[in-house]
Amino acid sequence: MGSSRQLRKQVIAFAPATISNLGSGFDVIGLALEKSGDYVVAERTEKRGVQLIGVDGDNGVLPRDARKNVATYVASAILKDLKPRFGVAITVHKRMPVGSGLGSSAASAVAAALAVNALLGNPLSKRELLPYAVEGERFVSDAGHPDNVSPSMFGGVIFIRDVKKLDVIQLPYPKKLVWVVVHPHIEIRTAYARKILPNKVPLAKAVLQWGNLGGLIAGFCLGNIHLLARSIEDVIVEPVRARLIPGFKSVKSAAMEARALACSISGSGPSMFALVTNQADAKRVGRAMQKAFRRAGLNSDLIVSRINREGACLVPCVGK
Ligand code: HSE
């Protein structure tokens, strides 16, 4: 590693929010969204180790203790391995909802990894930073699922062939896709949403699910929007998690009646996403979904986004 005098004193990294699972791909597929996400500032300090200077944009719900926050957890893991002759102070600016199913902890983990790496002179590639971010996910949700951190890191649509070896594949995708995400104002803890899932899956259901996942991946690769849309069908996880989301059934029906091409739960919820191909459809579908949530007693936020190609970046991000 170069002398610390040549290194930057402060860097800011951005990592985007993500939609994972996409119906049939529990834990193995996800995509990055534009705009929403986390900014992490990393500053070099004389004092060794990692300090957490502050967190904002989270309504005070995230840990302020550096031993419990995912961003500082990831930063500490990187410092422990790379042993620079300085410490790092971290500030997290959250610009996305927490506990929403949009990969909030993943965005913090990825932005922290990228920022600390830049402060150290970029010794690691994004691929080498990925396991640190996955460990961050394990730290906060008891499961090292890579389907939020991977698209947040690399951008685009990412398929993870092997979640242990982190065999991650960036898929091509049709440029017309527009994602409508509605975030109702309740929180679902990922750890709980995972705990209620079955350990065993009947073979007949597994066959339907891997048929759909194959269709989803083929749809992305072939640019066949109707194939990918009809493959956003989850016969294993969605039926169990639906009951955690008030109004789930009517929100999904409202999206489909408003001519969405597909609709499912984003990650572990409570956000729900729908797929459309233009802004006018996005507006109509988003309105219908929000109205259905309101009828179930929930206010919500609406995010309409295309796919973020670049993933995590150092601010100012180039190519945006
Ligand atoms: N694949 C993970 C899950 C994503 O569904 O539990 C968590 O956001």
Side-chain angles (χ1 to χ4, degrees), residues 17-306:
T18 44
I19 301 176
S20 59
N21 297 344
L22 298 178
S24 48
F26 177 71
D27 276 1
V28 298
I29 195 163
L31 58 85
L33 295 171
E34 293 172 324
K35 295 181 205 139
S36 305
D38 276 15
Y39 289 85
V40 167
V41 182
E43 288 165 84
R44 191 142 47 92
T45 58
E46 276 182 23
K47 190 176 161 205
R48 302 278 175 105
V50 176
Q51 301 165 55
L52 182 58
I53 308 246
V55 182
D56 66 43
D58 68 326
N59 289 325
V61 299
L62 293 174
R64 267 54 181 171
D65 180 341
R67 287 164 303 183
K68 294 187 181 151
N69 187 286
V70 64
T72 37
Y73 177 87
V74 169
S76 303
I78 295 174
L79 291 200
K80 198 169 155 225
D81 286 351
L82 299 188
K83 303 181 178 48
R85 277 186 245 116
F86 55 84
V88 176
I90 296 281
T91 311
V92 179
H93 300 290
K94 189 145 279 294
R95 297 295 177 262
M96 61 175 293
V98 178
S100 57
L102 293 171
S104 166
S105 52
S108 288
V110 169
L114 204 73
V116 170
N117 188 49
L119 213 54
L120 298 173
N122 292 311
L124 302 179
S125 65
K126 278 189 170 183
R127 177 62 187 82
E128 288 166 327
L129 290 172
L130 189 63
Y132 291 98
V134 171
E135 285 314 306
E137 279 285 42
R138 195 183 313 282
F139 176 64
V140 291
S141 73
D142 298 336
H145 52 89
D147 52 336
N148 292 111
V149 289
S150 305
S152 187
M153 183 73 85
F154 301 111
V157 182
I158 303 284
F159 169 58
I160 303 112
R161 188 201 60 84
D162 184 323
V163 295
K164 288 195 179 126
K165 294 181 186 145
L166 294 180
D167 185 2
V168 293
I169 296 125
Q170 194 155 32
L171 302 179
Y173 56 87
K175 300 295 166 280
K176 271 177 85 175
L177 305 180
V178 179
W179 304 86
V180 178
V181 181
V182 178
H183 167 232
H185 296 170
I186 49 165
E187 188 184 334
I188 292 179
R189 300 200 73 83
T190 300
Y192 178 69
R194 297 180 75 85
K195 215 168 110 189
I196 60 171
L197 297 178
N199 282 327
K200 291 187 179 159
V201 174
L203 186 61
K205 272 192 187 175
V207 170
L208 285 176
Q209 194 86 351
W210 61 55
N212 275 321
L213 179 58
L216 183 62
I217 293 167
F220 276 119
C221 294
L222 297 169
N224 185 334
I225 294 175
H226 288 281
L227 171 60
L228 87 82
R230 71 175 183 272
S231 304
I232 296 179
E233 190 194 21
D234 175 3
V235 296
I236 296 171
V237 177
E238 185 182 289
V240 181
R241 286 181 170 171
R243 65 179 120 95
L244 302 178
I245 305 173
F248 170 85
K249 236 175 147 182
S250 38
V251 174
K252 186 163 175 163
S253 305
M256 300 312 285
E257 277 159 26
R259 299 198 299 281
L261 298 174
C263 175
S264 187
I265 302 171
S266 177
S268 55
S271 294
M272 291 178 64
F273 73 90
L275 175 61
V276 296
T277 53
N278 61 62
Q279 296 295 332
D281 287 359
K283 222 171 165 179
R284 191 181 57 248
V285 168
R287 246 196 324 252
M289 291 169 77
Q290 286 196 287
K291 198 168 156 197
F293 266 129
R294 244 187 333 269
R295 262 187 262 119
L298 290 175
N299 286 329
S300 60
D301 299 317
L302 172 66
I303 298 172
V304 174
S305 176
R306 288 187 187 273

